Amino acid sequence: MAQNAPRIAGRHFLQIPGPTPVPDRILRAIALPTIDHRGPDFGKLGRRVLDGMQTIFKTKGHVVIYPASGTGAWEAALSNTLSPGDKVLMVETGHFATLWKTMADKLGIEATFIASDWRSGADAAAIEAALREDRTHAFKAVCVVHNETSTGCTSRIDEVRRAIDAADHPALLMVDTISSLASIDYRHDEWGVDVTVAGSQKGLMLPPGLSFNAVSDKALAVARAARLPKSFWGWDEMIAANKTGYFPYTPGTNMLYGLAEAIDMLHEEGLDNVFARHDRHAEATRRAVRAWGLDILCREPKYYSSSLTAVVMPDGHDADTLRAVILDAFDMSLGTGLSKVAKRVFRIGHLGDTNDLTIVGALAGVEMGLGLAGVPHRAGGVAAAMAYLAEARKGAAKAA
C-alpha cells in the first residue's frame, strides 16, 4: 500500500485464477517454527505430504515435490524423460500450452504444435490422427494442459488417453494440472498419465512455491535412458531420499507444513465434494455472464472449466480498463487476458477456498464494475447466479 494511502476495509477479493486466497488455517501452519530438515520430525512430515499427495493425484506411484513454481515442474517433466532432438506432440490450447512448447524448444526438443483457436480443449481426434501418421514412433511424448488457465477450457484427458491407445502409440502422456488439481476431478493412474505437473498456488490453496511431478513406472523406466541435462530436477535422487521422508537438498519446510494442512482440509471436505463445489460455482458464474449478455470464451460446454471463466468484452471495450475500475472501486482483482486475448478477455477465478457467498460477492463486483466502466450489458447476472445457487442448495438438502 502506498504511504499515507487510506486503509481499505475488509479483505481484498482475489478472484484471479491463481494464486488463490490462502486460508487462515494454512497460514497458521506455514508460520510454525522451522525444524531441522535432517531431523526425525522432518522425516515424518516428508512422508505425510508425499503419501498425502498420492491421494490428491489419485496415484499409487511416486510423487516428487520441488521448491519451485509450476514452470519448474514443466522442466522436470521434460528433462527427466527426453533427450536432445526428441520429438513431442503438443496442443495449442492457450497461453500456457504455448509457454510449455517454448520451453521444449529451448531445451532442444522438437515440438509439433496442433493449432487451435483457444476456445476449446485439446482435440483428441487430432491427437490420434497425428499419432497414426507417426509410423516410426518419433513422438516420445504427448503433452496436454488439462485446464488452460488463459482460456477457461478444460481438456478431456480420458479421451486423450483413449486416442493414444487407439493409435497404438508408445508415447508418454504428460499433463499440466496446475490450475485443475484439487479443483477438477483428475485421475493420474486411471487415465494412464505418465507425468502429471502441478503447482501449489491454486486448488491446493497455498502460496506459490511448491510444484509437483506425479510419475508412472513407465516414465521412470524411460527416464533411465533420457539424456537431457538435469541436476536440481532429477527424479532419481529425489525418489531415493523420499523413501524415508527426506530430500536431497533443502526443501521448503514451512510450505510443506502448509501442504500437510491443505491435504487434511481437502480430505475433511471430501474430494468429490470439493469438485462439486467448484462445478457449482463455475455454473453460477456462467449463468451470470449469460444474463449480462456477454460471451464466454470457451465455446463448447463440454470443455467448460470449473476453475475459472474467461469473459469476452464487447467490441470497442478494453478488459484491462474494466479490471482497473473494479480494483479501484471494489478492491477486487480479476485475471487479465494473456497474449492472443490480451485486453479482449477478463477472467473470473472461482477455485480454491471459496464458498457461495464469495462467488456472489465477486459477481456483484463485476456487475457493478460493468456499469461504472460503461460496458454494455444487461442487469441481473448476480440474481441469476443467486437463484441457481439457492436452487442447488435446496436440491442438496432434499438429497440429504
Side-chain angles (χ1 to χ4, degrees):
M1 182 181 293
Q3 190 173 8
N4 299 323
R7 175 184 176 272
I8 299 174
R11 289 201 174 193
H12 174 69
F13 266 63
L14 186 64
Q15 297 299 143
I16 63 176
T20 61
V22 180
D24 291 345
R25 184 170 157 184
I26 291 176
L27 289 172
R28 287 193 294 269
I30 292 171
L32 289 169
T34 304
I35 59 174
D36 175 11
H37 62 286
R38 304 292 180 216
D41 288 341
F42 184 88
K44 296 174 185 176
L45 172 64
R47 282 310 328 165
R48 178 182 170 190
V49 295
L50 289 162
D51 294 344
M53 285 306 297
Q54 287 180 309
T55 68
I56 304 303
F57 282 107
K58 298 186 179 180
T59 181
K60 295 181 180 178
H62 290 288
V63 175
V64 178
I65 304 175
Y66 297 103
S69 70
T71 305
W74 277 352
E75 184 163 342
L78 298 174
S79 64
N80 277 284
T81 57
L82 299 170
S83 299
D86 276 353
K87 295 182 179 181
V88 298
L89 183 64
M90 294 179 152
V91 185
E92 187 207 3
T93 47
H95 176 77
F96 291 96
T98 304
L99 289 181
W100 202 4
K101 192 259 186 190
T102 300
M103 175 185 284
D105 294 339
K106 290 179 179 178
L107 293 174
I109 300 164
E110 185 179 331
T112 295
F113 217 21
I114 297 176
S116 85
D117 63 0
W118 290 32
R119 300 197 70 175
S120 69
D123 184 344
I127 292 172
E128 181 179 340
L131 294 178
R132 286 185 182 278
E133 291 178 6
D134 179 31
R135 295 180 178 85
T136 63
H137 295 166
F139 289 129
K140 302 305 179 187
V142 175
C143 302
V144 178
V145 174
H146 182 212
N147 186 76
E148 178 54 68
T149 323
S150 63
T151 67
C153 297
T154 302
S155 294
R156 296 294 302 269
I157 302 304
D158 54 342
E159 293 183 2
V160 173
R161 176 73 265 170
R162 288 197 292 271
I164 296 171
D165 292 345
D168 195 22
H169 200 287
L172 297 173
L173 174 56
M174 300 190 193
V175 179
D176 168 351
T177 65
I178 290 172
S179 64
S180 59
L181 189 73
S183 301
I184 301 171
D185 190 16
Y186 184 77
R187 309 174 189 187
H188 177 92
D189 285 359
E190 182 180 330
W191 293 342
V193 181
D194 293 297
V195 187
T196 300
V197 172
S200 59
Q201 73 276 18
K202 297 181 188 280
L204 290 174
M205 305 175 287
L206 291 158
L210 293 180
S211 61
F212 309 85
N213 281 172
V215 185
S216 74
D217 289 342
K218 178 181 175 181
L220 285 176
V222 168
R224 296 187 189 106
R227 292 182 289 104
L228 276 178
K230 55 192 168 293
S231 176
F232 181 86
W233 305 117
W235 287 340
D236 50 358
E237 291 184 19
M238 287 285 275
I239 290 172
N242 287 169
K243 289 178 182 178
T244 51
Y246 296 96
F247 291 72
Y249 43 73
T250 306
T253 304
N254 288 64
M255 286 289 286
L256 296 179
Y257 283 143
L259 177 60
E261 199 69 28
I263 293 167
D264 285 350
M265 290 172 68
L266 290 166
H267 284 302
E268 287 166 17
E269 183 176 356
L271 284 176
D272 287 344
N273 293 329
V274 171
F275 303 144
R277 170 167 56 83
H278 282 77
D279 292 345
R280 185 172 71 249
H281 294 162
E283 178 59 25
T285 301
R286 290 189 294 267
R287 291 189 181 212
V289 174
R290 293 191 197 102
W292 293 326
L294 301 179
D295 289 334
I296 297 167
L297 182 63
C298 185
R299 183 186 298 110
E300 299 178 56
K302 172 182 176 178
Y303 298 117
Y304 281 160
S305 170
S306 290
S307 294
L308 73 136
T309 300
V311 184
V312 181
M313 292 288 284
D315 289 343
H317 293 269
D318 187 315
D320 287 346
T321 299
L322 171 66
R323 290 174 53 251
V325 168
I326 291 172
L327 177 61
D328 181 64
F330 306 114
D331 195 27
M332 180 167 71
S333 294
L334 298 171
T336 187
L338 298 167
S339 54
K340 284 187 179 182
V341 293
K343 297 184 179 296
R344 294 174 46 216
V345 161
F346 68 92
R347 295 172 296 150
I348 304 170
H350 34 71
L351 73 165
D353 190 42
T354 59
N355 59 29
D356 290 2
L357 293 183
T358 307
I359 297 306
V360 169
L363 295 174
V366 174
E367 185 161 333
M368 290 187 289
L370 290 167
L372 289 174
V375 177
H377 70 288
R378 297 191 297 265
V382 178
M386 290 172 61
Y388 168 76
L389 291 171
E391 192 62 31
R393 286 295 180 180
K394 287 181 184 177
K398 289 179 182 177

